[in-house]
């Protein structure tokens, strides 16, 4: 498991992304937005009111970290995290996941604006990032299927799901839904 985690981190770093380590706790509204918010995942004594629930996804923390960079003048951001997510309070409901976010001109083709041409990051960058992680983790790449649409927090026309057959969903990629960004207080 640790070897796969290291390979996933190296694959994302090779794609120009920077590793972030975010809180394992998020706000209740953010947890609910990403499929969490169950009573058993609420902390009895949170360190802050906005860090009350165990995270069901790495995305809210990465969005907050990206927004903090944007607020400080760094609008071209590419962050990733490999860490624990929580679907329940039992050990079998805790998973290691990998996630990443890109903003502005932080595409896989290079960071920032350049005289020879720049590319805004898009859903295809996110798809390539997801494929890089899956390949590094040893997924059977020839068996992967891409299905249009993704999780409810993604833009319906600009997202997809990576799966093996209809039952084995490996992940989602795409542009975040404007309502998701608004709910998390983040720029587009």
């Amino acid at each position: 498991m640790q070897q796969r985690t290291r390979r996933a981190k190296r694959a994302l770093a090779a794609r120009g992304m920077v590793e972030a380590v975010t809180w394992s706790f998020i706000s209740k509204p953010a947890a609910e937005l990403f499929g969490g918010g169950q009573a058993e995942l609420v902390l009895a004594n949170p360190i802050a009111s906005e860090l009350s629930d165990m995270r069901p996804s790495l995305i809210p923390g990465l969005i907050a970290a990206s927004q903090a960079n944007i607020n400080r003048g760094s609008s071209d951001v590419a962050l990733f995290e490999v860490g624990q997510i929580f679907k329940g309070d039992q050990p079998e409901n805790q998973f290691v996941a990998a996630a990443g976010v890109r903003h502005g001109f932080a595409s896989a083709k290079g960071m920032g604006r350049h005289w020879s041409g720049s590319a805004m990051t898009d859903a295809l960058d996110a798809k390539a990032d997801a494929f890089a992680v899956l390949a590094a983790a040893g997924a059977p790449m020839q068996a992967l299927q891409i299905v249009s649409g993704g999780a409810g927090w993604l833009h319906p026309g600009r997202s997809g799901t990576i799966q093996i057959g209809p039952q084995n969903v490996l992940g989602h990629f795409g542009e975040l839904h404007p309502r998701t960004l608004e709910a998390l207080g983040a720029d587009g």
Side-chain angles (χ1 to χ4, degrees):
M1 179 68 110
Q2 289 179 344
Q3 187 177 12
R4 288 182 185 168
T5 300
R6 283 193 297 275
R7 285 193 308 239
K9 288 180 178 185
R10 280 195 300 268
L12 289 170
R15 295 191 46 76
M17 300 184 86
V18 176
E19 184 175 11
V21 179
T22 64
W23 290 102
S24 294
F25 324 117
I26 60 176
S27 68
K28 181 150 221 58
E32 290 171 344
L33 184 63
F34 286 84
Q38 299 90 329
E40 66 267 16
L41 294 177
V42 175
L43 299 173
N45 189 16
I47 60 173
S49 60
E50 66 275 1
L51 298 173
S52 62
D53 286 49
M54 299 301 290
R55 64 183 178 192
S57 172
L58 300 172
I59 298 293
L62 288 172
I63 291 171
S66 295
Q67 189 61 46
N69 280 283
I70 293 164
N71 292 345
R72 287 167 180 79
S74 179
S75 62
D76 302 326
V77 179
L79 300 175
F80 77 90
E81 183 172 8
V82 178
Q84 289 279 335
I85 60 170
F86 306 88
K87 302 295 183 182
D89 62 349
Q90 299 301 311
E92 63 270 11
N93 295 326
Q94 299 173 19
F95 305 96
V96 175
V101 295
R102 290 181 180 271
H103 183 273
F105 288 98
S107 75
K109 298 165 191 75
M111 195 76 103
R113 297 178 182 165
H114 193 266
W115 63 270
S116 64
S118 302
M120 289 289 287
T121 191
D122 59 16
L124 296 178
D125 288 317
K127 176 184 170 190
D129 293 339
F131 270 56
V133 168
L134 290 170
M141 301 306 288
Q142 67 281 3
L144 298 182
Q145 302 168 331
I146 303 296
V147 179
S148 64
W153 40 269
L154 289 171
H155 195 294
R158 300 176 189 163
S159 62
T161 298
I162 303 170
Q163 59 190 38
I164 300 175
Q167 300 296 320
N168 297 318
V169 174
L170 300 179
H172 306 285
F173 66 90
E175 186 177 315
L176 292 166
H177 197 289
R179 282 183 292 210
T180 302
L181 293 171
E182 183 180 335
L184 295 174
D187 293 338

